[in-house]
Amino acid sequence: MPRPDTLNPLFRTLTSLKGVGPQLGALFSRFFGAPEGQEAVVLDVLMHMPSGVIDRRAQNGIAFAPVGSIATLKLHIDEHIVPPRGNNRAPLRVRAHDETGEITLIFFGAKGGWVERSLPIGETRYVSGEIGFFGREKQMTHPDYIVEPEKLDTLPLVEPVYPLTHGLSSKALRRVVATALEAIPVMPEWIGHDRRAVMAWPGFGDALRHIHAPKRPSEGDIVSPARLRLAYDEYLAGQLALSLVRSTLVKASGVARHMTGDLTSRVEEALPFALTDGQRLAIADIKDDLAKPTRMSRLLQGDVGSGKTVVALMAMAAVAEDGAQSALMAPTELLAAQHFRTLQPIAEKAGLNVVLMTGKMPAATRRKVLAGLASGAIHVAVGTHALFQAGVEFHNLGLTVVDEQHRFGVHQRLALSEKGHKTDLLVMTATPIPRTLVLTHFGDMDVSVLREKPAGRQPIDTAALPISEYDRVIARLRARFDEGVQAYWVCPLVEESEVLDVVAAEDRHAELRKVFGDKVALVHGRMSASEKQAAMERFQSGDAQILVATTVIEVGVDVPDATIIIIEHAERFGLAQLHQLRGRVGRGAARSACLLLYTEPLSETAKARIETICKTDDGFVIAEKDLELRGHGDLLGTRQSGMPGYRIAVPDVHSHLLEMAHNDARAALDHNPGLKGPEGEALRMLLYVFRKDLAIPLIKAG
């Protein structure tokens, strides 16, 4: 459906407003980030929130206006003191008084007589600005406003202050904001009556007026009812859009699985350890989902080493009991191979047929695997996104498991389910994502969390040292190597870069070889897959004792004998990344250690990161701290992939509204899936106002 005509005034371009020429229009379009080839519109200005307010209500007279405060004074103009000819540096001064005292108004570089015209001798004017002090007298330099008594109402007594850009004055912006406020149409209310009554929120238009034209400073505050209402609206639009994506994915076109429990119990018997309570709960959640006729869409969050792969295997076994196949998709071939190695022996014991599909399979093997998938003889295929290329046909694909969701957005999810298999979806991530972020980015998924580490996992001793202690570290390593210990040595970059004075992986590899000879292997991003594989195999077999690596090892590499990890330039890594890397050790029976080497001096943030890592190994505590240290956008490493950027809601201040908006969006769609009638109409308007109308075609007909 096209955009309702009611909203047209909000989508008028700014250049169609009086006083906004092409130059100012182009400036606004850049400032508000209008898409290529489009112009900024009225709505952009209304959604541009002030960063504070100036209170000009104090009108107590000169004597009672404290130095440094903003005051509005009713002055009698007494005298103009013009600077001597040829002295361009001296200001023009205007002496004035009221009943309580005297003041001098100061104007630098005042040319063309405008000051004399604005402040005629013998007349009364209102002026507003900051009170200063010089010598023994009060003064005001360049007042913000000068108005005639009969025009006092044009002086904003409470004035919002906005973030600006080079070339945009606050006067110009305020003028456009005032015009924009007049354009707000009367719109239906999309917030339920009960919610609004409880929160005592104004209507949408009134909320914008309170913020952009406040009568009292508190009206525009970041926690004022008006601002809370708009933040909630923004969250509600986002959650509504995510729920619509979800309902498209989950359309009742799933398959209710009939599970016998036969294969899952055999898998459990084949496990070398007992399942944790967390794993049991997650498996129960998944089985419930699989038994329903809707599609499963579940996010399985578990810290490094919490045993997500085993939960996935149980899910795949459950699906196989109903005669369907599963695909496990990993972001890299290295990881896919790793998953395959973990699953293969257990699956084999339980009678499940698992294959690894890579891009480099010999043609004959590939033909055999494709035939097995097409006939249904193969139960589980593990691989990269190559699993979903043309030519790979499944007999009956029932479950897709995706590892490391954040490299795999909503669009890929839609495309994957478009394979038309009615498949259930299980997504695994080792990035523990705080609840608010789960809602923001994956509001469309149910969540299971694995909090405990599997039995037998050892705590990891973590310490930090400056790089100047390098020789001590080497001596220590040498002593441990005689005991047959293996270690990772992680470097941040592949090549020496002039900007970052980083010891490249190759240099470090060469340095370590001087001490440890050919016991040192190297893996970095520029190597071919076969070179990487060869180096990894040397390390896995124990032939190499040190693996020097860039962060290619951060996810999923499993070498139980490696008990030491040294992270060089730890100050350059994010918290989540340090935590992921540390999880590469502590996988065997021996106690493990993680050493962070840093270069001094450390910034406050780097210091806080390193302290956090040394103090705790709880991924959820670390994720919350990470969020605090670097804000929402980067946590998933997805600044650039169209994650929701908020213009009104400030996550730290308004996050309590997110849960509320999430629940309200779900309730609205459960109650009225086609968004029909007046209530539905109002919610569709909300989607247009917050530019989420891409979700409108997903609204279920009927």
Side-chain angles (χ1 to χ4, degrees):
M1 70 175 229
R3 186 171 64 222
D5 292 344
T6 323
L7 296 179
N8 289 348
L10 295 178
F11 288 89
R12 278 178 60 190
T13 59
L14 291 177
T15 45
S16 69
L17 305 181
K18 190 169 160 257
V20 182
Q23 207 175 347
L24 190 54
L27 186 67
F28 274 129
S29 295
R30 274 202 309 279
F31 184 40
F32 293 131
E36 201 58 46
Q38 294 179 27
E39 285 188 49
V41 297
V42 169
L43 196 55
D44 289 317
V45 174
L46 293 171
M47 298 287 184
H48 185 55
M49 294 288 114
S51 50
V53 286
I54 296 174
D55 186 353
R56 303 186 182 283
R57 294 173 305 166
Q59 301 186 34
N60 307 327
I62 296 167
F64 304 105
V67 172
S69 72
I70 300 280
T72 299
L73 305 171
K74 183 181 183 181
L75 300 181
H76 183 273
I77 310 301
D78 298 324
E79 167 187 20
H80 295 169
I81 303 167
V82 181
R85 265 207 131 85
N87 183 349
N88 291 334
R89 287 216 174 129
L92 166 65
R93 296 151 72 169
V94 177
R95 290 191 180 279
H97 73 275
D98 65 8
E99 294 88 275
T100 70
E102 298 186 346
I103 193 165
T104 306
L105 309 177
I106 306 284
F107 299 89
F108 286 94
K111 295 201 172 54
W114 69 268
V115 174
E116 293 87 333
R117 285 195 299 280
S118 313
L119 296 163
I121 295 172
E123 299 215 5
T124 302
R125 290 290 182 268
Y126 278 94
V127 302
S128 186
E130 186 177 335
I131 302 288
F133 199 69
F134 186 73
R136 306 240 282 280
E137 58 177 25
K138 284 188 179 172
Q139 58 179 33
M140 188 186 285
T141 305
H142 291 279
D144 301 326
Y145 290 92
I146 301 172
V147 301
E148 296 155 30
E150 60 276 16
K151 291 190 182 155
L152 181 60
D153 59 343
T154 65
L155 194 160
L157 292 177
V158 179
E159 181 183 18
V161 183
Y162 295 92
L164 297 168
T165 181
H166 184 64
L168 180 61
S169 71
S170 48
K171 277 216 166 82
L173 181 58
R174 274 199 309 274
R175 224 181 25 246
V176 176
V177 167
T179 316
L181 286 175
E182 288 165 22
I184 299 173
V186 177
M187 284 183 275
E189 180 53 76
W190 46 72
I191 298 182
H193 178 266
D194 298 352
R195 168 75 67 218
R196 255 192 76 191
V198 169
M199 305 301 288
W201 283 340
F204 178 73
D206 285 340
L208 287 169
R209 286 183 274 271
H210 286 318
I211 282 171
H212 292 296
K215 298 276 183 286
R216 293 183 309 284
S218 59
E219 282 182 37
D221 195 81
I222 196 160
V223 291
S224 66
R227 183 68 180 266
L228 290 176
R229 185 228 145 106
L230 294 174
Y232 167 87
D233 285 343
E234 186 169 36
Y235 280 143
L236 183 64
Q239 291 301 311
L240 211 52
L242 277 170
S243 291
L244 285 166
V245 169
R246 175 199 171 86
S247 59
T248 314
L249 287 177
V250 179
K251 278 209 198 83
S253 65
V255 176
R257 303 276 165 209
H258 301 290
M259 295 162 283
T260 59
D262 174 34
L263 284 167
T264 42
S265 54
R266 279 197 295 197
V267 166
E268 196 173 339
E269 278 163 30
L271 291 175
F273 43 79
L275 292 169
T276 64
D277 293 345
Q279 286 173 316
R280 286 186 192 288
L281 276 173
I283 292 164
D285 285 343
I286 289 167
K287 285 186 165 177
D288 280 352
D289 288 352
L290 293 174
K292 289 178 191 151
T294 48
R295 272 189 193 167
M296 169 166 79
S297 181
R298 184 169 288 280
L299 180 69
L300 177 61
Q301 268 186 247
D303 208 348
V304 179
S306 57
K308 294 181 295 294
T309 315
V310 170
V311 173
L313 179 58
M314 290 291 275
M316 297 192 285
V319 170
E321 291 171 358
D322 191 45
Q325 297 161 293
S326 300
L328 168 56
M329 186 163 108
T332 63
E333 294 213 340
L334 200 70
L335 254 176
Q338 175 99 31
H339 279 307
F340 179 68
R341 279 199 301 276
T342 310
L343 298 173
Q344 167 62 24
I346 304 166
E348 200 171 343
K349 279 186 195 157
L352 279 172
N353 198 347
V354 185
V355 294
L356 176 63
M357 282 211 56
T358 66
K360 302 186 187 52
M361 293 168 88
T365 319
R366 186 179 167 82
R367 275 198 301 277
K368 204 168 128 192
V369 168
L370 289 177
L373 290 175
S375 72
I378 293 173
H379 301 113
V380 177
V382 181
T384 59
H385 51 258
L387 286 174
F388 291 94
Q389 284 163 0
V392 180
E393 287 302 327
F394 287 86
H395 174 61
N396 172 11
L397 179 62
L399 171 67
T400 305
V401 182
V402 179
D403 192 22
E404 289 305 320
Q405 157 75 17
H406 53 277
R407 317 193 177 192
F408 183 80
V410 171
H411 302 295
Q412 287 96 314
R413 283 215 305 266
L414 278 164
L416 195 134
S417 25
E418 288 316 294
K419 252 318 211 191
H421 300 300
K422 298 185 175 181
T423 61
D424 289 302
L425 178 65
L426 177 66
V427 165
M428 307 193 291
T429 175
T431 311
I433 309 168
R435 170 81 184 147
T436 48
L437 274 203
V438 170
L439 288 179
T440 324
H441 301 296
F442 314 114
D444 56 326
M445 301 190 89
D446 297 306
V447 182
S448 293
V449 178
L450 300 178
R451 282 193 178 264
E452 325 111 296
K453 301 257 195 294
R457 272 293 161 102
Q458 297 293 322
I460 301 166
D461 303 318
T462 306
L465 280 177
I467 191 80
S468 51
E469 300 277 343
Y470 178 77
D471 294 338
R472 235 178 84 193
V473 175
I474 294 297
R476 202 52 232 281
L477 261 184
R478 197 185 242 144
R480 299 295 312 273
F481 275 5
D482 298 341
E483 304 159 23
V485 164
Q486 286 184 283
Y488 294 102
W489 191 299
V490 182
C491 304
L493 281 186
V494 180
E495 288 169 349
E496 190 74 52
S497 120
E498 294 79 33
V499 196
L500 298 175
D501 178 22
V502 174
V503 181
E506 276 140 356
D507 290 357
R508 179 55 70 218
H509 178 239
E511 282 295 308
L512 290 168
R513 279 190 66 114
K514 288 180 194 163
V515 183
F516 299 107
D518 58 3
K519 285 286 184 201
V520 191
L522 171 68
V523 175
H524 62 66
R526 310 254 161 130
M527 292 162 78
S528 72
S530 56
E531 289 174 311
K532 278 187 215 167
Q533 199 58 43
M536 285 301 305
E537 277 162 10
R538 277 192 62 205
F539 188 57
Q540 265 154 346
S541 68
D543 176 36
Q545 273 188 292
I546 301 189
L547 180 66
V548 177
T550 52
T551 47
V552 290
I553 64 154
E554 78 180 88
V555 192
V557 175
D558 201 357
V559 180
D561 294 339
T563 52
I564 298 176
I565 184 163
I566 295 168
I567 302 171
E568 197 170 333
H569 281 290
E571 75 279 2
R572 295 178 195 262
F573 291 94
L575 250 180
Q577 226 183 353
L578 287 171
H579 179 61
Q580 290 268 344
L581 285 166
R582 174 170 63 182
R584 296 301 108 224
V585 296
R587 291 173 164 253
R591 200 167 173 107
S592 291
C594 168
L595 179 61
L596 308 173
L597 291 179
Y598 57 85
T599 308
E600 294 166 304
L602 282 178
S603 69
E604 285 307 310
T605 314
K607 208 176 277 165
R609 273 197 220 122
I610 288 174
E611 274 168 18
T612 305
I613 280 288
C614 291
K615 272 207 300 260
T616 177
D617 68 346
D618 180 326
F620 288 88
V621 172
I622 287 169
E624 294 287 355
K625 183 72 182 171
D626 203 11
L627 193 58
E628 186 189 314
L629 288 176
R630 56 178 183 157
H632 265 61
D634 295 339
L635 189 65
L636 304 175
T638 36
R639 252 283 176 258
Q640 62 295 349
S641 60
M643 281 301 184
Y646 291 112
R647 296 172 88 165
I648 294 174
V650 176
D652 315 347
V653 184
H654 300 133
S655 55
H656 62 293
L657 299 171
L658 181 57
E659 191 104 23
M660 200 188 282
H662 175 70
N663 296 336
D664 291 353
R666 279 227 162 154
L669 283 171
D670 288 347
H671 163 68
N672 181 0
L675 295 188
K676 293 214 170 18
E679 278 174 26
E681 201 54 38
L683 287 167
R684 287 172 189 240
M685 289 230 180
L686 166 76
L687 289 170
Y688 277 110
V689 168
F690 284 92
R691 315 281 177 83
K692 300 286 184 203
D693 40 301
L694 281 173
I696 286 180
L698 303 178
I699 295 169
K700 285 194 195 137

